[in-house]
């Protein structure tokens, strides 16, 4: 890997850690690349699809001329491993905020949970969470929500292609979900809870796939101070796609 390679176009597959923003991960990568390859100030780098701080997993970083591929990658279907907790809610629909509205779930059966999940496969109307990066009159919704302001989010169409690998150990339910661009898994968790009538929120989220790019081969070693890019294999840089 050379500076010329990077400016001609390169794709890195990162495994974003918990509590890092996507911006922080890309900035860390940019700093290391500039230091190691003496790249110019205007070196282009960006990620293809934001992950929330409380989510982990596949973050695709495009460098140089491959930044032009970002819109195409962002539009691709996504896959996530998901865990939700039934019978309680949070304002953020995930673990950022404390639990509220606890309800008895002793009457909830495994069959009810499976039936509820099945109802969300296909095209659905989904309202994004107030704690999201969507802009409202020029301001991020999460900034307004964290400031205590009331945020009105508009529903949108999205598609859930499949929900499988379901494991039920109440109050926890985990599954793999394939979905279209713009789907909020936090909202899906919340809506499943509403369907069951007892509430739910997202406890864990890990992105495993974007289009044909998979989490296998992605690295979090870029966080290490002594990390060197020559240790990366080509498969870590975008060549682990399905054939």
């Amino acid at each position: 890997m050379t500076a010329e390679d990077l400016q001609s176009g390169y794709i890195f597959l990162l495994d974003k850690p918990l509590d890092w923003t996507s911006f922080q991960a890309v900035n860390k990568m940019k700093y290391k690349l500039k230091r190691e390859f003496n790249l110019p100030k205007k070196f282009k780098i960006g990620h293809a699809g934001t992950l929330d701080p409380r989510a982990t997993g596949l973050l695709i970083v495009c460098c140089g001329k491959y930044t032009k591929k970002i819109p195409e990658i962002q539009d691709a279907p996504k896959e996530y491993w998901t865990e939700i907790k039934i019978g309680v809610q949070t304002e953020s629909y995930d673990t950022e905020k404390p639990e509220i509205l606890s309800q008895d779930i002793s009457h909830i059966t495994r069959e009810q949970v499976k039936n509820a999940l099945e109802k969300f496969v296909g095209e659905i109307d989904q309202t994004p969470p107030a704690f999201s990066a969507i802009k409202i009159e020029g301001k991020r919704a999460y900034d307004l929500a964290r400031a205590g302001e009331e945020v009105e989010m508009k529903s949108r169409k999205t598609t859930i292609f499949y929900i499988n690998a379901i494991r039920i150990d109440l109050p926890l339910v985990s599954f793999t979900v394939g979905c279209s661009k713009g789907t909020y898994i936090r909202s899906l968790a919340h809506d499943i809870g509403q369907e069951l009538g007892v509430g739910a929120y997202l406890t864990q989220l890990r992105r495993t796939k974007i289009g044909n790019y998979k989490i296998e081969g992605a690295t979090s070693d870029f966080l290490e101070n002594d990390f060197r890019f020559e240790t990366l294999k080509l498969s870590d840089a975008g060549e682990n796609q399905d054939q």
Side-chain angles (χ1 to χ4, degrees), residues 11-230:
I11 291 176
F12 292 99
L13 305 184
L14 303 187
D15 188 346
K16 189 192 81 65
L18 187 68
D19 289 332
W20 279 64
T21 67
S22 299
F23 178 78
Q24 287 171 328
V26 173
N27 255 11
K28 184 81 170 183
M29 176 65 77
K30 185 176 183 180
Y31 168 77
K32 285 180 174 288
L33 287 169
K34 283 192 168 186
R35 184 185 63 181
E36 192 162 328
F37 295 97
N38 194 28
L39 293 163
K41 284 187 177 180
K42 292 186 178 180
F43 173 65
K44 293 182 178 180
I45 185 170
H47 65 78
T50 302
L51 272 176
D52 288 334
R54 301 300 297 166
T56 66
L58 183 60
L59 184 69
I60 297 178
V61 176
C62 300
C63 300
K65 292 181 180 178
Y66 277 17
T67 53
K68 293 179 181 178
K69 294 178 177 283
I70 288 176
E72 172 191 342
I73 297 171
Q74 285 178 329
D75 286 345
K78 315 292 191 300
E79 182 182 87
Y80 298 87
W81 177 82
T82 307
E83 182 188 78
I84 68 175
K85 185 175 179 180
I86 303 292
V88 68
Q89 302 179 52
T90 74
E91 287 183 291
S92 59
Y93 299 176
D94 65 4
T95 57
E96 179 181 339
K97 289 292 185 178
E99 293 184 350
I100 57 174
L101 305 176
S102 180
Q103 296 193 54
D104 176 41
I105 63 166
S106 60
H107 62 288
I108 299 294
T109 66
R110 296 171 60 87
E111 197 64 31
Q112 284 177 302
V113 173
K114 288 182 178 180
N115 289 340
L117 293 174
E118 288 175 4
K119 288 183 179 180
F120 289 92
V121 177
E123 186 178 71
I124 60 172
D125 284 309
Q126 185 181 79
T127 302
F131 288 78
S132 65
I134 292 173
K135 285 190 174 181
I136 299 175
E137 296 181 354
K139 296 182 179 180
R140 297 290 185 186
Y142 56 64
D143 287 331
L144 298 171
R146 287 168 184 154
E149 296 186 33
E150 195 165 326
V151 182
E152 185 178 348
M153 307 299 293
K154 295 181 179 179
S155 68
R156 55 175 67 179
K157 296 284 186 185
T158 189
T159 303
I160 304 298
F161 300 118
Y162 55 84
I163 294 177
N164 57 30
I166 301 166
R167 296 190 65 179
I168 301 172
D169 186 15
L170 294 176
L172 299 178
V173 179
S174 66
F175 50 88
T176 298
V177 55
C179 57
S180 63
K181 172 189 175 183
T183 302
Y184 281 87
I185 307 300
R186 284 182 289 150
S187 290
L188 177 63
H190 174 80
D191 293 344
I192 290 167
Q194 297 304 300
E195 177 67 27
L196 288 168
V198 294
Y201 74 96
L202 185 69
T203 51
Q204 293 188 67
L205 184 67
R206 181 165 176 78
R207 186 157 63 195
T208 53
K209 194 174 179 183
I210 302 176
N212 290 326
Y213 294 95
K214 298 179 181 180
I215 190 64
E216 291 80 11
T219 181
S220 58
D221 293 345
F222 71 99
L223 299 177
E224 303 297 330
N225 289 330
D226 59 352
F227 172 70
R228 301 289 295 180
F229 284 90
E230 66 242 25

